[in-house]
Amino acid sequence: MDVKINDLSLTYGDFTAVEHLGLHISDGESLVLLGQSGCGKTSTMRCVAGLEDPSGGSIAIGGTTVFDAAAGLNVAPNKRNVGLVFQSYAVWPHMTVLENVSFPLRMKRRPKAEIRTRALETLELVGLAHLADKGASLLSGGQMQRVALARSLAMEPNVMLLDEPLSNLDARLREDLRVELRRLQLELGLTSIYVTHDQGEALALADRIAIMQHGRISQLSTPVETYRSPASASIAEFLGVANIFPVAAPRAGERRLRLAGHDVEIAADAVVPPGDDLSVCIRPEHVRVRTEPRDAGPNSWQGTVTVSVFQGSFIRCSVALDAGPTLEVQTQDASVVLRQHDRVHVEIDPAHVQVLPREAGPAAAAPGPGAAGEADRARPGDAAPRTSHDRPVAAAATREG
Ligand SMILES: Nc1ncnc2c1ncn2[C@@H]1O[C@H](COP(=O)(O)OP(=O)(O)OP(=O)(O)O)[C@@H](O)[C@H]1O
Ligand SMILES: [Mg+2]
């Protein structure tokens, strides 16, 4: 069922945790709320679940209004049929796995045989049928979280609300469960709201990502759009774009920009937007580094490696430019050997230079593309990025001689 959040505000005393938030999640869509700690993700989720008393706005699930501040309506959590999975493993330790999953169905007074069949089917879905009779306290963290998930799924909820459900698990398990969650979401056509501050998780699980900052949604777009075209420098920074430099005296329409505090000009293919608080943003993987000069393009500088770290599938290093700031560089070329103090040439294709305002205004609350299965998660044309970020970045660096 779809979820419509309209002009929602939530205050704790005189602190505003959610501010005029609008969001329309389509039936079957997986929406990920992504944002820094304290930006209001859990608060928003709790409003949808019916666990808060918001100060303004309205919420409808499947066309039924469950909250309306103006009308004084706030439907109780257990009447909303939402499934909740939280970070802590909310599993009853004194029950078996099967009893845990059966519990909400028993509360709903379903026939005994149906409860057993449904609970076992759901355990099958999350890959735990073989542990049905095991005591829940004997499970690992990952298994417990699957039980919590199965228990919510067994209720056939209208909406699944997942608040950092994987954050207590170790990295490997988190990645496995992430893929499994996405499979379940697509297979069951679940409408879900998933909260995380992990961008990898967001990119993997979302049909659309809602970036949340200071109680508001500042960007709402597909994972590909979000990654390629952050709406502001502060979002780019949150998404791990390491090279962000304020522009000195920007002029709308100009394509050569001087970096504030440095005697460096940088060329951008993108049209520079209006505004006087602009930054140049460049992903580390878009900086080419060579030990030998080649025909110098527009953004080509000399510098010195200050640190270089081998990360297995890539090398990360910092290059202090002779005339300017330090650039973070990431290269996948395993043949490149870069050491501290090495003299290098760096180059940035103007197509990979984004010029963004410091902050973005609130995003529109438009509905998503529909059922998750149909949602085209990679629609390069959609984002209309002016830069050609889809160009392969491999072989970004070479070491000759
Ligand atoms: N019960 C409360 N009373 C007062 N302030 C609260 C309460 N719950 C949350 N807040 C404040 O509201 C803001 C948003 O909190 P929220 O839990 O929604 O953040 P979050 O985005 O989920 O963060 P995290 O990623 O750390 O879980 C925070 O500044 C928090 O301190
Ligand atoms: Mg939270």
Side-chain angles (χ1 to χ4, degrees):
M1 291 189 184
D2 74 329
V3 180
K4 268 189 189 152
I5 304 175
N6 190 26
D7 201 29
L8 183 74
S9 291
L10 172 70
T11 53
Y12 296 113
D14 53 9
F15 178 77
T16 303
V18 180
E19 204 174 351
H20 301 294
L21 184 142
L23 193 55
H24 185 179
I25 301 142
S26 296
D27 186 28
E29 184 181 19
S30 163
L31 183 111
V32 173
L33 270 181
L34 174 67
Q36 250 151 12
S37 182
C39 70
K41 305 180 296 294
T42 297
S43 303
T44 304
M45 195 80 122
R46 289 176 56 86
C47 292
V48 177
L51 299 167
E52 295 288 352
D53 189 14
S55 48
S58 63
I59 301 172
I61 300 175
T64 304
T65 303
V66 292
F67 170 74
D68 188 341
L73 174 79
N74 200 0
V75 174
N78 60 349
K79 301 267 163 59
R80 295 189 182 195
N81 196 27
V82 292
L84 294 168
V85 182
F86 290 114
Q87 179 173 355
S88 53
Y89 320 125
V91 165
W92 288 291
H94 59 284
M95 293 186 191
T96 65
V97 167
L98 186 67
E99 284 164 353
N100 260 285
V101 177
S102 307
F103 188 80
L105 298 169
R106 290 220 315 270
M107 290 291 101
K108 283 193 166 178
R109 300 188 189 289
R110 297 288 173 79
K112 262 198 175 148
E114 183 199 318
I115 293 177
R116 190 179 160 77
T117 314
R118 175 93 68 81
L120 281 171
E121 274 171 10
T122 317
L123 280 172
E124 190 78 49
L125 268 178
V126 300
L128 280 188
H130 62 294
L131 297 178
D133 296 319
K134 194 161 176 164
S137 60
L138 305 174
L139 302 176
S140 70
Q143 290 167 337
M144 280 196 204
Q145 210 50 327
R146 282 171 212 244
V147 173
L149 186 65
R151 199 175 52 198
S152 295
L153 286 173
M155 288 168 49
E156 297 182 337
N158 296 333
V159 190
M160 276 293 271
L161 304 178
L162 303 116
D163 192 352
E164 313 229 16
L166 308 182
S167 59
N168 276 343
L169 307 175
D170 69 55
R172 175 73 203 281
L173 193 55
R174 210 154 61 210
E175 274 172 35
D176 289 351
L177 267 182
R178 177 192 293 179
V179 175
E180 220 167 289
L181 267 177
R182 182 64 187 162
R183 176 184 60 79
L184 274 176
Q185 204 271 331
L186 292 170
E187 211 169 287
L188 305 174
L190 282 175
T191 307
S192 57
I193 305 179
Y194 188 103
V195 162
T196 182
H197 55 250
D198 177 326
Q199 68 153 310
E201 216 161 278
L203 293 173
L205 283 169
D207 290 313
R208 283 187 308 163
I209 295 175
I211 304 264
M212 198 163 177
Q213 294 179 304
H214 315 297
R216 289 168 177 263
I217 287 168
S218 47
Q219 180 165 4
L220 182 60
S221 48
T222 63
V224 175
E225 288 163 18
T226 311
Y227 185 82
R228 285 187 187 161
S229 311
S232 69
S234 72
I235 294 175
E237 195 169 11
F238 174 66
L239 294 174
V241 177
N243 300 303
I244 298 179
F245 308 110
V247 175
R251 277 205 305 245
E254 199 153 13
R255 306 220 169 186
R256 290 192 70 83
L257 302 136
R258 201 165 60 75
L259 302 189
H262 298 284
D263 193 17
V264 170
E265 276 203 343
I266 190 161
D269 274 0
V271 176
V272 173
D276 51 12
D277 195 4
L278 302 180
S279 294
V280 155
C281 304
I282 305 141
R283 289 196 164 270
E285 61 268 35
H286 289 149
V287 182
R288 288 162 171 263
V289 53
R290 308 178 200 281
T291 47
E292 296 293 322
R294 288 242 299 244
D295 37 308
N299 298 324
S300 166
W301 303 281
Q302 283 202 313
T304 305
V305 175
T306 55
V307 63
S308 174
V309 183
F310 177 63
Q311 294 271 276
S313 59
F314 63 90
I315 293 165
R316 181 81 182 233
C317 68
S318 304
V319 176
L321 302 185
D322 294 349
T326 295
L327 283 176
E328 296 302 314
V329 183
Q330 185 171 312
T331 173
Q332 289 193 312
D333 188 340
S335 67
V336 178
V337 182
L338 293 169
R339 288 186 208 88
Q340 200 180 17
H341 309 308
D342 277 359
R343 294 288 293 160
V344 289
H345 301 263
V346 296
E347 222 177 273
I348 302 162
D349 185 335
H352 286 142
V353 178
Q354 290 186 308
V355 187
L356 302 175
R358 185 67 220 159
E359 301 294 344
E374 297 156 26
D376 182 0
R377 305 176 69 239
R379 294 174 301 170
D382 251 30
R386 290 172 304 251
T387 55
S388 47
H389 288 192
D390 34 1
R391 208 173 283 179
V393 206
T398 53
R399 186 185 173 95
E400 292 134 34

